[in-house]
Amino acid sequence: RYFHLCKLPGRVTGIRLLRFTSVVIIVLLLVAGALTALLPNIKDDKMPNLRREPKTQSQSVLDSFTLIMQTYNRTDLLLKLLNHYQAIPHLHKVIVVWNNIGEKIPEEMWNSLGPHPVPVVFKVQTVNRMRNRLQNFPELETKAVLMMDDDTLVSAHDLAFAFSVWQQFPEHIVGFVPRKHISTPSGVYSYGSFELQNPGFGNGDHYSMVLIGAAFFHSGYLEDFQRQPEAVYTLIDETQNCDDIAMNFLVSKHTGKPSGVFVKPVDIRNLEKDTNSGYSGMWHRAEHLLQRSYCVNKLVNIYNGMPLKYSNIMISQFGFPNYANHKNKM
Amino acid sequence: RYFHLCKLPGRVTGIRLLRFTSVVIIVLLLVAGALTALLPNIKDDKMPNLRREPKTQSQSVLDSFTLIMQTYNRTDLLLKLLNHYQAIPHLHKVIVVWNNIGEKIPEEMWNSLGPHPVPVVFKVQTVNRMRNRLQNFPELETKAVLMMDDDTLVSAHDLAFAFSVWQQFPEHIVGFVPRKHISTPSGVYSYGSFELQNPGFGNGDHYSMVLIGAAFFHSGYLEDFQRQPEAVYTLIDETQNCDDIAMNFLVSKHTGKPSGVFVKPVDIRNLEKDTNSGYSGMWHRAEHLLQRSYCVNKLVNIYNGMPLKYSNIMISQFGFPNYANHKNKM
């Protein structure tokens, strides 16, 4: 029909022009549409959807982790750290274990400063217990847990790498702080920080625990923790300490292997000096290390044996931060 | 009877004295024997049995490895290295693959300088082939193989540690020299040495191969190598190169994981400048790296796909050589 326009009578020249213009416009739109379809796709993960409504969790629970951070008397540090951790790659959700008994959670303030990259859940506690963070939280959807102390800052690079390492060693505690126990001829064990205690055996040093205050581990271990002998809970509650030692016992008992895999952090910082609260953390108590040796021996009694095993594997990221960090004289 | 000596007539005093002396001597010997039995046992592995006859292999084939070292035109380096490697802990046996066609093995000299800590077998070859070292030698008894180039010196500490790492990753090639392949938009692959080629993805760098010229791997892979497509052997023979790339293809195809685990060596040296032969090794040929890129693409054809996978795990020994090599600002 379009090709017969020229045969219409003169009094419809206006209509003719209109039709012609319409055709041109339609053709141009079709061409534009075709060109747009041919444009390369911009991937979602390169372009944050800043202007869209907050979506429901789009990260697969298999390829992401939940941060569990317990907090007591250091809300300023908590909030500083939340600003950092809320944006770590592969983070699914944050669970804040609120040990400030009777104190209101900063929910209003948190919401007023939204939107936030991931959901943050404040779990109000009724008693200030160290082991509150080891509950099997119903909000926990991922296989992986990242547990951090509320005064510890680990770089995003370190966390992204350590998470990838955990994915290769999912039955281990993969983290940044190694410790060890020492056997003595009397059969009494001692808890080791490296500058304090030796001997090792053979070359170099060994570790037999990785502390959970800066580590990834499988959420299944939180389930397992609910099924431990009552004496374990009593010990942790008595000392307000040693929950991490207990977890290492649990894990190595379960696997028959060293509980932890140590990833050497590039950038890890303790922020406790930065707090306004003046509160400086349990490990400053005079009896802290002696308590931990005490816990090792108590746990050996409770579990009828010493399940911890030694490792000397130290993992770093190939070619990071220094591109040539693997070079040698070859 | 002894207690009636005094009742014998005088003419047998001499006999009496003799008997008495004999008794004293026997008692002394018995006491000495009892004392010797009570001495603490000296473990075999702390005190080399220098004066005994060479024993048959006392090391368990499960807890030791066989060194396979191929040699061509660098007998001076070979002998220097054998003096070092023959005494590495957990070594079971050495197999020297003698690529010096028509030349006598230095067996007489070797034997005249015995005894040696472990048996060393010289395997005379009929053709000078790179892949001679990848035969399934009948003398190979251990699960683990350590393969070394005849110009590479790795410290005993590094080898002991890497062997312990291999025992935790027995299906991988655990070694000291990482390399990678690069994908390009054209689909043609390129072989990477790190100073030559990028891009990586994300943070840091990655490797997809660990070269077998300084590595531990499972002896089962030598068996597997005998069952590869003929085209693989042709490729290696053509180029006199790429046997190590082929092994990495084989391993990652078998496991579905990265073929290698990189252990960062503390002390690894290339001795090729030290040889009197003037022969400086295949990798100095102008076409060496291009050949290896060529091999990667050929192997992808032969195996119908690219099985190599990337890793960025770098393993070091905790607390060695620097006791505080894991310390940080925490």
Side-chain angles (χ1 to χ4, degrees):
Chain A
R1 190 174 310 153
Y2 296 100
F3 299 101
H4 296 284
L5 275 171
C6 48
K7 292 191 180 149
L8 287 166
R11 63 186 170 89
V12 292
T13 310
I15 294 170
R16 197 186 306 165
L17 187 59
L18 184 64
R19 279 184 182 164
F20 180 70
T21 316
S22 310
V23 167
V24 170
I25 288 171
I26 287 167
V27 169
L28 282 173
L29 284 171
L30 286 171
V31 170
L35 285 173
T36 310
L38 289 172
L39 278 176
N41 279 328
I42 296 168
K43 288 191 186 158
D44 274 318
D45 62 350
K46 285 187 184 174
M47 194 156 285
N49 295 323
L50 293 170
R51 296 195 186 79
R52 295 190 196 176
E53 293 298 321
K55 297 198 285 189
T56 49
Q57 290 296 294
S58 53
Q59 290 215 72
S60 158
V61 297
L62 292 174
D63 200 39
S64 58
F65 59 87
T66 304
L67 168 62
I68 299 177
M69 191 181 283
Q70 178 155 279
T71 188
Y72 173 71
N73 205 3
R74 291 195 288 203
T75 307
D76 55 345
L77 290 188
L78 170 74
L79 296 176
K80 174 187 281 196
L81 291 172
L82 280 178
N83 182 64
H84 166 64
Y85 288 129
Q86 69 175 355
I88 300 291
H90 303 287
L91 178 68
H92 184 257
K93 180 185 294 180
V94 179
I95 296 174
V96 175
V97 183
W98 188 254
N99 268 3
N100 299 304
I101 312 307
E103 198 182 308
K104 276 181 62 178
I105 59 176
E107 191 158 41
E108 233 179 86
M109 186 257 288
W110 182 259
N111 291 337
S112 74
L113 294 171
H116 297 283
V118 298
V120 174
V121 179
F122 290 87
K123 301 292 292 185
V124 173
Q125 304 301 301
T126 51
V127 188
N128 179 12
R129 278 204 184 115
M130 186 61 78
R131 64 178 167 104
N132 284 341
R133 61 182 179 173
L134 293 179
Q135 297 173 67
N136 195 14
F137 301 102
E139 296 86 349
L140 180 53
E141 295 179 64
T142 57
K143 289 275 170 280
V145 169
L146 168 64
M147 190 158 282
M148 294 296 308
D149 286 343
D150 66 345
D151 60 358
T152 303
L153 178 60
V154 179
S155 78
H157 299 303
D158 284 309
L159 289 175
F161 177 61
F163 180 51
S164 76
V165 175
W166 175 84
Q167 289 175 310
Q168 300 174 62
F169 300 95
E171 49 171 11
H172 293 270
I173 301 170
V174 176
F176 303 105
V177 186
R179 293 288 184 264
K180 71 182 177 211
H181 71 284
I182 317 272
S183 296
T184 64
S186 58
V188 176
Y189 294 97
S190 196
Y191 173 85
S193 279
F194 302 96
E195 65 286 0
L196 294 182
Q197 282 171 0
N198 220 346
F201 8 71
N203 256 347
D205 205 349
H206 291 76
Y207 59 93
S208 58
M209 291 170 268
V210 169
L211 302 188
I212 59 175
F216 290 90
F217 57 84
H218 200 290
S219 53
Y221 287 125
L222 289 178
E223 259 181 83
D224 290 351
F225 185 76
Q226 312 314 315
R227 293 194 296 266
Q228 296 308 299
E230 195 64 37
V232 173
Y233 309 137
T234 311
L235 177 66
I236 297 171
D237 292 344
E238 247 178 30
T239 55
Q240 284 285 68
N241 201 344
C242 310
D243 60 326
D244 46 0
I245 301 178
M247 279 295 274
N248 276 271
F249 268 67
L250 189 161
V251 172
S252 65
K253 206 169 148 67
H254 179 260
T255 63
K257 302 180 193 178
S259 50
V261 172
F262 169 50
V263 174
K264 182 176 181 180
V266 171
D267 188 349
I268 184 172
R269 309 181 203 183
N270 186 299
L271 302 188
E272 57 178 4
K273 292 183 181 58
D274 298 355
T275 186
N276 298 325
S277 69
Y279 174 68
S280 61
M282 301 294 275
W283 67 285
H284 289 284
R285 296 174 307 164
E287 67 275 24
H288 179 82
L289 284 174
L290 282 169
Q291 258 189 353
R292 290 169 83 69
S293 291
Y294 167 78
C295 284
V296 171
N297 289 293
K298 286 284 283 188
L299 286 164
V300 166
N301 284 347
I302 294 168
Y303 287 111
N304 275 324
M306 168 50 89
L308 299 181
K309 293 197 165 43
Y310 293 102
S311 172
N312 62 358
I313 301 261
M314 181 164 78
I315 294 186
S316 304
Q317 190 176 353
F318 185 73
F320 184 85
N322 176 357
Y323 186 67
N325 72 350
H326 57 86
K327 293 290 290 176
N328 53 60
K329 278 184 277 189
M330 286 280 278
Chain B
R1 192 172 309 158
Y2 297 102
F3 299 101
H4 295 288
L5 274 175
C6 48
K7 291 195 178 147
L8 286 169
R11 60 187 172 92
V12 290
T13 312
I15 295 170
R16 196 186 305 165
L17 185 61
L18 184 64
R19 278 184 180 162
F20 180 69
T21 317
S22 312
V23 167
V24 169
I25 289 171
I26 287 166
V27 168
L28 283 173
L29 286 170
L30 285 170
V31 169
L35 286 173
T36 310
L38 288 170
L39 280 175
N41 279 329
I42 296 167
K43 288 192 183 154
D44 274 318
D45 60 354
K46 285 188 184 172
M47 195 156 286
N49 295 323
L50 293 171
R51 294 190 188 78
R52 296 190 196 176
E53 293 297 321
K55 295 198 289 192
T56 49
Q57 290 298 288
S58 55
Q59 292 215 70
S60 158
V61 296
L62 294 172
D63 200 39
S64 59
F65 58 87
T66 304
L67 168 62
I68 299 178
M69 190 180 282
Q70 178 156 279
T71 187
Y72 172 72
N73 205 2
R74 290 194 288 204
T75 307
D76 55 346
L77 290 187
L78 171 74
L79 297 176
K80 174 187 280 194
L81 290 172
L82 281 177
N83 182 63
H84 166 64
Y85 288 129
Q86 69 175 357
I88 300 291
H90 303 288
L91 177 68
H92 184 258
K93 181 185 294 180
V94 179
I95 296 174
V96 175
V97 183
W98 188 253
N99 267 3
N100 299 303
I101 312 307
E103 197 181 310
K104 276 180 61 178
I105 60 178
E107 191 159 42
E108 234 179 86
M109 187 257 288
W110 182 258
N111 292 337
S112 73
L113 293 172
H116 296 283
V118 297
V120 174
V121 179
F122 290 86
K123 299 293 291 184
V124 173
Q125 303 302 300
T126 52
V127 187
N128 178 13
R129 281 206 181 110
M130 186 61 78
R131 64 178 167 103
N132 284 341
R133 61 182 177 174
L134 292 179
Q135 296 171 69
N136 195 14
F137 301 101
E139 295 87 348
L140 179 55
E141 293 178 67
T142 58
K143 289 277 169 280
V145 168
L146 169 63
M147 191 158 280
M148 296 296 308
D149 286 345
D150 66 344
D151 60 357
T152 303
L153 177 60
V154 179
S155 78
H157 299 302
D158 285 309
L159 289 175
F161 177 61
F163 180 51
S164 76
V165 174
W166 175 83
Q167 289 175 309
Q168 300 174 60
F169 300 96
E171 47 171 12
H172 293 272
I173 300 169
V174 177
F176 303 104
V177 186
R179 294 287 185 264
K180 72 182 177 211
H181 72 284
I182 316 273
S183 296
T184 65
S186 57
V188 178
Y189 294 98
S190 197
Y191 174 85
S193 279
F194 302 96
E195 66 285 359
L196 293 182
Q197 280 169 8
N198 222 347
F201 8 71
N203 255 346
D205 206 348
H206 291 75
Y207 59 94
S208 58
M209 289 170 270
V210 170
L211 302 188
I212 60 174
F216 290 90
F217 57 84
H218 199 290
S219 53
Y221 288 125
L222 289 179
E223 258 181 83
D224 290 351
F225 185 76
Q226 311 315 314
R227 295 194 294 268
Q228 296 310 297
E230 195 64 37
V232 173
Y233 310 137
T234 311
L235 176 66
I236 297 171
D237 292 344
E238 245 178 33
T239 54
Q240 284 286 68
N241 200 345
C242 308
D243 60 328
D244 47 1
I245 300 177
M247 279 295 273
N248 275 271
F249 269 67
L250 188 162
V251 172
S252 66
K253 205 169 149 66
H254 180 262
T255 63
K257 301 181 196 178
S259 49
V261 172
F262 169 51
V263 174
K264 183 177 181 178
V266 171
D267 189 350
I268 183 172
R269 309 181 204 184
N270 185 299
L271 302 187
E272 57 178 5
K273 291 183 183 56
D274 297 355
T275 184
N276 298 324
S277 69
Y279 175 67
S280 60
M282 300 294 274
W283 68 284
H284 290 284
R285 296 173 306 164
E287 67 275 23
H288 179 82
L289 284 174
L290 282 169
Q291 258 190 351
R292 288 168 84 72
S293 291
Y294 168 79
C295 286
V296 170
N297 288 293
K298 286 285 282 187
L299 287 164
V300 165
N301 282 347
I302 295 168
Y303 287 112
N304 274 324
M306 167 51 89
L308 299 181
K309 294 196 164 42
Y310 293 102
S311 172
N312 62 356
I313 300 261
M314 180 165 77
I315 293 186
S316 304
Q317 189 176 352
F318 185 73
F320 183 85
N322 176 358
Y323 185 66
N325 73 349
H326 57 86
K327 295 289 292 175
N328 52 60
K329 279 184 279 190
M330 284 279 278

